Amino acid sequence: MSEMLNVENIFAEKVFTNAKMKERLPKKVYQEVMNIMEHGGELSMATADAVAMAMKDWAVENGATHYSHWFQPLTGITAEKHDSFITHPDTQGKMLMEFSGKELIKGESDASSFPSGGLRATFEARGYTAWDITSPAFLKDSACGTILCIPTAFCSYTGEALDKKTPLLRSMEAISEQALRIVRLFGNTEAKKVTPSVGAEQEYFLVDKDLYMQRKDLMFAGRTLFGALPPKGQEMEDHYFGVIKERVGAYMKDLNEELWKLGVTAKTQHNEAAPAQHELAPIYETANIAVDHNQLVMEAMKRVAYKHDFRCLLHEKPYAGVNGSGKHDNWSITTDNGVNLLDPGDTPNRNIQFLLILACIMKAVDTHADLLRQSASDVGNDLRLGANEAPPAIISIFLGEQLEDVVTQLIETGDATKIKKGKRLHTGVSTLPDFVKDATDRNRTSPFAFTGNKFEFRMVGSADSVASPNTTLNAIVAEAFCEAADRLEQAEDLDMAIHDLIKEYMTEHQRIIFNGDGYSDEWVAEAERRGLPNLHTMIDAASTLTTDKAVALFEKFGIFTRVELESREEIIYETYAKTINIEALTMIDMASKDIIPAVASYTGELANTVIAVKEAGAMGFAQMELLNEVDTLLAEARNALTVLEKETATAAAIKDAKEQAFYYKDVVKEAMDALRTPVDKLEMLVDSTIWPMPTYGELMFEV
Ligand code: ADP
Ligand code: MG
């Protein structure tokens, strides 16, 4: 019998929680820290020293030897550099472990090896990390030992953000300030802060380690670049919520335990639609902590997979033709006196504050649909958005029947007097109670769905950080709140002004509401008629960052400067080009070293068979036909390989980042597809003992 796990005892065991801080710090010092955590400001050096000492003592007691400023550069993952607590020994040769307040709050790091999109050319290469006091420090165990990780923001010498956390923190301040203006209009004088909360549902695939090691594409690109569909896929719908396999269950158990120790509230786990695809959802929390924790979830998923002889694939589309992985970003905003501003209450038409906020969100999402789409883009997600199991690349809002009805009434009459009652949903099973149908019935095809008291942004990719989507959401909603407050604060008749503004915003932006099937072709055509943007790829969306509209938005709230936005656009092109280049080179390697030689020797075998069969006096029609078919496809693959080699070399030589990225998209990706097609056909013809790598069927079902 395995040892009993006491979850309450282990939860946050590796986190320097407020409770631990309180225990170890003088009361006054602790209060200063809490105060800054709540309301911002700078720690005094004396306080920083005291916190650093307490943190170090706790870390060392728990086996830590090093500390690290843990940050999130624009690579989308996290970075860390370890420094030990070791200090210079005294004359007696005795050494004391130390950690100062200065080391806690600020670190210096060479920024020149991280993506900076030109910022590094114009500014010094030095980069600084600064402690995000609102996100707790934690201990990370690895073969390096135990490291005290301090969540930090990463900036250049002159203060330009070089990471994903800095703008997120700035956007959280912006939405707090503007949302407070809205709640003040409704007489809320108590609230001092409004905080966005995020719950990020994480999808992932598991694959057996030994099979993974035989696939260069999985190793280098994180996804398969070749592969024919298996006879069985997800069509039986037997995987979603199905019984979890023993080996996967053991993995999930370990994963949960690791996450709980790190203070991550892993809550829900289940099988997803595709074979070997799974999901983990935590309980929502403050946006920046949720972003940090999602990084920890992704890291832990990969690390724990090693222990179980799995590899974890976070790529958005590991297998073509099979359900991809996303990350549903659940978002709401709550006042510090406990009011969720997205909670409509029992009768939405009475809750004017909710309707005003909803009107502002409609305006924000419609005005900046392009930016929102951009915020959910990464290279892998291009293979998912617009493909038939994922939300399209078009942004729209789903409100549900009841709320849409209220909006329609408001637009038509300026008033919402009726409310569609929650209908009874009869289960037809006597042992189950009849449910009251959720006022916001499910629409799984909407990229931005209202789900009762939050919005669920479903476009985000599984491998991506959720920092950008939430930065953008906070920013665009802050802008709409600000414009509404500017008007309403001046109004003589506030009730009337609110009424008019709701009607005006909802009327002007009703095109963004869509309750139908977002996966249908009709919607793509309809969205075009409505003038909604449909940005197909990550690089098509990149320039939305530097439009006048975007610069005005982000500069107004101090979230990004124009220069920062330009650098981020540049990095998108660079990242895209690098990623496709790796994929193309991997395909070239696999095709020329493994696939083509295997098929060539197979044609030799077939030819011998044909000769032998004929010598034996038979006609050998079938063998001959197979030989011809394989030979033709082999020639096709050879030609396609030559084209891909040439185009990849051409692309790699292009100097301008944007031009280069588009060449990879328009030319190199085409050449990749042209190589894949004959190879996947060959996989279906060639003797399976000769095929040089595991098939989709093996990768997905041998888990
Ligand atoms: P589902 O998406 O299947 O309906 P839930 O609604 O239970 O599942 O929650 C999905 C995710 O949304 C979870 O991570 C949950 O913590 C988060 N969530 C729930 N309520 C909120 C909220 N008010 N704000 C932000 N996230 C939330
Ligand atoms: Mg969900």
Side-chain angles (χ1 to χ4, degrees):
M1 246 229 17
S2 64
E3 217 180 300
M4 261 259 275
L5 183 67
N6 186 327
V7 181
E8 284 178 14
N9 283 352
I10 63 161
F11 190 79
E13 177 182 288
K14 292 182 184 174
V15 184
F16 193 59
T17 56
N18 289 351
K20 286 179 190 130
M21 210 176 327
K22 191 173 181 183
E23 232 174 70
R24 285 166 184 270
L25 287 176
K27 206 165 174 186
K28 246 190 79 201
V29 177
Y30 175 72
Q31 268 157 2
E32 188 186 329
V33 176
M34 286 303 114
N35 193 37
I36 289 173
M37 234 182 239
E38 277 301 305
H39 310 295
E42 260 184 55
L43 280 186
S44 67
M45 204 32 93
T47 301
D49 279 332
V51 177
M53 176 123 94
M55 217 186 246
K56 185 256 312 172
D57 287 345
W58 167 76
V60 171
E61 282 163 28
N62 286 280
T65 51
H66 292 68
Y67 72 93
S68 170
H69 277 202
W70 184 75
F71 60 102
Q72 303 174 30
L74 296 169
T75 52
I77 51 173
T78 62
E80 51 193 77
K81 182 185 93 184
H82 305 162
D83 278 297
S84 71
F85 296 117
I86 301 276
T87 53
H88 205 282
D90 64 17
T91 48
Q92 310 299 305
K94 170 128 184 76
M95 190 282 301
L96 284 176
M97 301 278 261
E98 263 172 28
F99 184 46
S100 70
K102 199 163 150 267
E103 288 168 312
L104 166 65
I105 57 181
K106 198 170 170 195
E108 199 180 318
S109 175
D110 183 5
S112 62
S113 296
F114 293 104
S116 77
L119 284 178
R120 143 177 110 227
T122 7
F123 303 96
E124 272 196 71
R126 244 185 306 169
Y128 288 94
T129 49
W131 183 29
D132 171 11
I133 189 170
T134 59
S135 184
F138 58 91
L139 296 177
K140 194 161 150 175
D141 295 319
S142 72
C144 307
T146 301
I147 315 288
L148 169 67
C149 291
I150 299 150
T152 55
F154 181 45
C155 294
S156 77
Y157 179 65
T158 37
E160 277 81 17
L162 293 173
D163 69 345
K164 302 215 171 208
K165 185 186 270 269
T166 309
L168 176 68
L169 293 173
R170 293 170 180 168
S171 77
M172 288 170 68
E173 278 178 27
I175 196 168
S176 177
E177 199 176 309
Q178 301 307 323
L180 280 177
R181 293 174 67 193
I182 299 291
V183 300
R184 294 278 186 266
L185 293 168
F186 291 86
N188 183 338
T189 49
E190 292 164 49
K192 291 194 182 63
K193 193 173 163 183
V194 173
T195 308
S197 302
V198 170
E201 302 166 56
Q202 177 73 46
E203 294 181 340
Y204 62 99
F205 277 88
L206 289 176
V207 61
D208 181 81
K209 178 201 96 183
D210 292 332
L211 299 175
Y212 170 95
M213 299 295 276
Q214 295 168 54
R215 296 280 316 206
K216 289 178 191 166
D217 45 6
L218 286 180
M219 280 174 17
F220 298 135
R223 72 172 178 112
T224 55
L225 297 164
F226 298 103
L229 275 178
K232 179 177 186 223
Q234 66 201 57
E235 62 277 36
M236 301 299 287
E237 295 174 339
D238 54 357
H239 197 257
Y240 190 69
F241 284 14
V243 176
I244 295 166
K245 289 183 183 168
E246 288 288 296
R247 193 175 161 201
V248 175
Y251 166 83
M252 287 178 168
K253 179 171 179 282
D254 258 10
L255 176 61
N256 285 332
E257 220 175 296
E258 278 230 7
L259 291 173
W260 290 333
K261 285 181 185 167
L262 287 166
V264 178
T265 49
K267 171 87 176 162
T268 309
Q269 62 198 21
H270 61 79
N271 285 351
E272 258 301 323
Q277 189 186 28
H278 311 280
E279 180 180 304
L280 180 147
I283 299 174
Y284 65 97
E285 52 195 341
T286 305
N288 65 317
I289 300 175
V291 168
D292 287 356
H293 279 174
N294 181 249
Q295 291 287 356
L296 291 182
V297 167
M298 292 194 286
E299 281 181 36
M301 281 182 168
K302 291 193 205 162
R303 198 172 50 243
V304 175
Y306 270 75
K307 281 202 248 167
H308 291 260
D309 284 338
F310 281 131
R311 290 293 179 268
C312 173
L313 306 176
L314 293 174
H315 196 283
E316 286 78 6
K317 201 79 178 171
Y319 306 110
V322 174
N323 196 58
S325 295
K327 184 140 51 195
H328 292 177
D329 186 81
N330 293 273
W331 177 89
S332 65
I333 36 179
T334 313
T335 65
D336 57 352
N337 58 344
V339 183
N340 177 357
L341 300 179
L342 298 186
D343 201 334
D346 294 334
T347 52
N349 50 342
R350 303 271 162 70
N351 195 332
I352 309 292
Q353 178 176 298
F354 170 73
L355 290 174
L356 174 62
I357 284 166
L358 179 65
C360 287
I361 293 176
M362 282 173 63
K363 178 181 189 217
V365 173
D366 186 30
T367 309
H368 297 293
D370 57 343
L371 279 178
L372 207 51
R373 188 265 176 266
Q374 189 286 320
S375 76
S377 59
D378 69 14
V379 189
N381 221 14
D382 280 1
L383 299 166
R384 182 175 162 261
L385 298 181
N388 63 6
E389 94 296 334
I394 305 162
I395 294 276
S396 63
I397 301 179
F398 171 79
L399 289 181
E401 202 187 337
Q402 187 186 67
L403 206 50
E404 196 197 7
D405 182 57
V406 170
V407 170
T408 310
Q409 288 181 56
L410 283 166
I411 291 169
E412 280 166 7
T413 67
D415 228 340
T417 49
K418 301 190 298 290
I419 168 154
K420 283 197 175 180
K421 283 265 157 51
K423 292 179 202 146
R424 287 227 158 251
L425 190 75
H426 296 285
T427 58
V429 181
S430 59
T431 52
L432 288 177
D434 288 341
F435 300 110
V436 171
K437 195 177 167 195
D438 194 344
T440 56
D441 47 346
R442 297 275 157 175
N443 177 334
R444 289 290 176 197
T445 66
S446 174
F448 198 73
F450 183 69
T451 45
N453 61 1
K454 60 182 161 67
F455 276 97
E456 186 167 339
F457 186 25
R458 304 204 181 108
M459 224 184 225
V460 186
S462 49
D464 210 2
S465 156
V466 280
S468 299
N470 290 301
T471 303
T472 302
L473 259 173
N474 295 340
I476 66 179
V477 175
E479 183 189 58
F481 284 167
C482 176
E483 284 171 20
D486 284 348
R487 247 168 75 179
L488 297 174
E489 283 165 358
Q490 305 302 318
E492 278 173 18
D493 181 344
L494 182 62
D495 284 351
M496 207 52 213
I498 291 174
H499 172 276
D500 291 350
L501 191 125
I502 292 175
K503 185 168 184 212
E504 180 190 316
Y505 280 12
M506 287 188 172
T507 309
E508 256 173 52
H509 301 287
Q510 59 180 310
R511 66 170 184 171
I512 199 70
I513 306 290
F514 179 64
N515 284 345
D517 179 4
Y519 295 0
S520 66
D521 293 338
E522 294 81 64
W523 168 234
V524 177
E526 167 64 16
E528 195 178 339
R529 269 192 298 280
R530 294 189 191 183
L532 298 176
N534 185 0
L535 298 158
H536 293 280
T537 69
M538 167 184 180
I539 54 172
D540 291 312
S543 56
T544 62
L545 284 176
T546 49
T547 60
D548 290 343
K549 170 173 81 79
V551 175
L553 163 74
F554 288 123
E555 288 199 329
K556 178 171 182 176
F557 298 105
I559 296 168
F560 287 116
T561 61
R562 179 183 283 278
V563 175
E564 286 171 338
L565 288 164
E566 283 167 355
S567 79
R568 268 156 219 252
E569 182 184 344
E570 188 81 3
I571 288 168
I572 290 170
Y573 299 131
E574 286 172 7
T575 306
Y576 186 85
K578 284 181 198 162
T579 307
I580 305 297
N581 190 57
I582 291 171
E583 292 189 348
L585 293 179
T586 305
M587 285 186 93
I588 291 168
D589 186 289
M590 291 169 79
S592 55
K593 291 194 196 144
D594 304 321
I595 298 166
I596 290 176
V599 179
S601 73
Y602 182 58
T603 52
E605 273 179 39
L606 272 178
N608 287 337
T609 312
V610 172
I611 294 166
V613 169
K614 285 193 170 167
E615 271 175 11
M619 306 295 275
F621 281 142
Q623 292 85 344
M624 197 63 207
E625 235 172 66
L626 181 59
L627 176 58
N628 277 326
E629 212 176 323
V630 172
D631 191 48
T632 309
L633 287 167
L634 180 60
E636 209 180 297
R638 278 267 328 150
N639 289 339
L641 174 62
T642 312
V643 174
L644 181 59
E645 282 169 337
K646 184 180 137 267
E647 295 301 358
T648 307
T650 308
I654 298 173
K655 291 278 170 303
D656 179 74
K658 183 173 181 177
E659 191 191 318
Q660 185 184 43
F662 276 91
Y663 197 87
Y664 274 106
K665 169 169 99 72
D666 295 329
V667 183
V668 177
K669 270 184 88 79
E670 290 288 305
M672 286 164 60
D673 290 344
L675 173 58
R676 179 172 184 152
T677 307
V679 170
D680 287 358
K681 285 187 193 153
L682 282 166
E683 186 187 324
M684 301 301 286
L685 296 174
V686 171
D687 186 338
S688 61
T689 58
I690 286 178
W691 196 251
M693 59 200 152
T695 62
Y696 269 24
E698 289 162 328
L699 293 170
M700 280 185 276
F701 288 95
E702 289 182 24
V703 166

